Amino acid sequence: MLTKLLLTPHALKMTTLGVALISTAMVAQADEAADYPTKPIQFLVAAGAGGGVDNFARVVRPMFEEALGGARITVVNLPSASGALAHQRTANGAPDGHTLDFASTTYVTSLAAGQNPVGLDQITPVARMQSDVMALFVNPQRYPDFESFLEYAQANPGKVTVGGTHTASPDHVAFLSLRDASGLDMSFIPYDSTGNATANVLGNNIDATTTSLSPLLSYIEAGQMMPILVFSDERLADFPDVPTTVEHDWDLTDGNDRAVFVHADTPAPLVQRLEEVLKGIFDSEDYQAYAERVNLTYRDGWMAGDAYRERLEHNYELYSRLLSNEQ
């Protein structure tokens, strides 16, 4: 038997009013996206000056200004507390798209470590634009290839030390992922910068470092440092002799992502407009030339906001497990 829902004239009037209000709000949000920007924009960089995230934001800035017809953009570096200050300022600001948070994988690693109070319910990704390949680097005078490193690590459990930037950084979770996948008994030594970790590899104070390719290009070109294992499913064109993690049957293809976030309550039409602007920049010849120059084309950097959110949620669970096992 079919049941017929009868609405009183008052209920019908209220329902119609509700639909009208929703429609009005949607039109207003669409107009807001079309009029954007209406004031100066801030790029908050959740890292210090000169690093990968900072370079990313400063490369994007003039392209973003041009794409929006001459918008005014200020870049502000907020490296404190693993970038948490930048995320807090984004979450506490107006949800109007005029504050963009540029962050790396450190956002989710610090979240998993309990060092970052700003979750995905407070800021949301607009898009990921970079995914830098992680690798295991050594002084080639000490380890000419990964097989020699592996042989030493297996013969000397507990004696191998691998350095990287601070605890709960992308370098650290890359090390934890490698140790978890390989079963090798190794220890992590945190440093305050990639430069210090590299110096300690060169000085033979530690055996290796886990980091991304782009920061060590000058050392590689000088023959001082060498990747002996890349966290990838395929060998890299510029390093055809370097084996991958997948070749060793390890489910490990991690990278250091760099992405753009906004306040979680930013209207959907405005988030979509920002995503479209960033996709146009990503596809441009100027941006692709920059990505090629700093070895950011080994894997596709682009990931739309919804897809990247799913990746962040997955990585949060993975990193939480790895970091809890470390304690």
Side-chain angles (χ1 to χ4, degrees):
M1 183 177 69
L2 296 177
T3 302
K4 198 173 196 179
L5 179 62
L6 298 177
L7 295 178
T8 65
H10 175 73
L12 183 61
K13 181 178 180 181
M14 294 304 295
T15 300
T16 303
L17 177 60
V19 172
L21 289 173
I22 292 172
S23 299
T24 301
M26 291 177 65
V27 170
Q29 291 178 359
D31 288 344
E32 184 179 354
D35 293 339
Y36 176 86
T38 58
K39 60 183 180 181
I41 298 168
Q42 277 198 334
F43 282 4
L44 303 184
V45 178
V53 182
D54 183 59
N55 290 337
F56 165 44
R58 292 180 188 277
V59 165
V60 168
R61 175 188 173 181
M63 302 179 190
F64 201 93
E65 288 178 332
E66 183 179 357
L68 292 175
R72 289 183 294 153
I73 299 175
T74 302
V75 178
V76 181
N77 292 89
L78 296 171
S80 300
S82 299
L85 184 59
H87 310 320
Q88 288 174 318
R89 187 173 293 186
T90 302
N92 293 333
D96 59 7
H98 290 82
T99 299
L100 275 64
D101 186 344
F102 284 68
S104 71
T105 294
T106 299
Y107 167 69
V108 70
T109 59
S110 61
L111 193 63
Q115 300 173 351
N116 177 7
V118 182
L120 286 169
D121 59 333
Q122 296 171 274
I123 63 173
T124 192
V126 178
R128 184 191 76 179
M129 294 181 69
Q130 297 179 2
S131 184
D132 207 348
V133 176
M134 302 296 284
L136 181 70
F137 291 88
V138 298
N139 180 341
Q141 294 182 355
R142 184 169 184 178
Y143 297 107
D145 51 36
F146 181 65
E147 291 308 314
S148 61
F149 176 90
L150 183 62
E151 182 179 345
Y152 178 81
Q154 291 172 334
N156 298 274
K159 292 187 178 181
V160 171
T161 52
V162 179
T165 51
H166 55 86
T167 302
S169 68
D171 293 358
H172 186 205
V173 296
F175 162 80
L176 294 175
S177 298
L178 176 61
R179 188 176 68 177
D180 184 66
S182 67
L184 294 174
D185 185 359
M186 306 181 292
S187 300
F188 183 79
I189 308 296
Y191 294 93
D192 61 0
S193 69
T194 299
N196 280 341
T198 303
N200 277 275
V201 173
L202 294 175
N204 292 325
N205 298 316
I206 56 177
D207 294 279
T209 181
T210 45
T211 190
S212 50
L213 284 165
S214 54
L216 294 188
L217 287 178
S218 61
Y219 291 96
I220 297 170
E221 291 169 356
Q224 296 175 298
M225 295 284 285
M226 181 177 70
I228 55 171
L229 181 74
V230 292
F231 295 20
S232 175
D233 52 358
E234 296 180 356
R235 294 197 178 196
L236 308 184
D238 289 340
F239 305 98
D241 298 327
V242 179
T244 72
T245 47
V246 173
E247 288 177 39
H248 288 81
D249 295 324
W250 298 332
D251 183 15
L252 173 57
T253 56
D254 213 357
N256 188 5
D257 296 340
R258 299 185 185 99
V260 181
F261 296 77
V262 292
H263 193 297
D265 294 335
T266 304
L270 183 51
V271 175
Q272 182 178 354
R273 171 144 167 69
L274 291 170
E275 182 180 306
E276 290 170 353
V277 170
L278 291 174
K279 185 62 165 68
I281 291 171
F282 180 84
D283 290 336
S284 70
E285 290 185 8
D286 287 346
Y287 183 86
Q288 287 301 315
Y290 148 75
E292 180 76 26
R293 188 170 64 252
V294 295
N295 282 1
L296 288 170
T297 55
Y298 289 126
R299 57 162 59 105
D300 187 9
W302 178 261
M303 189 174 283
D306 289 343
Y308 189 52
R309 184 185 185 90
E310 290 182 10
R311 174 178 168 83
L312 288 170
E313 290 170 348
H314 171 269
N315 285 350
Y316 173 77
E317 297 297 329
L318 171 62
Y319 299 156
S320 295
R321 177 178 67 81
L322 292 172
L323 288 165
S324 65
N325 290 341
E326 178 80 342
Q327 298 172 355

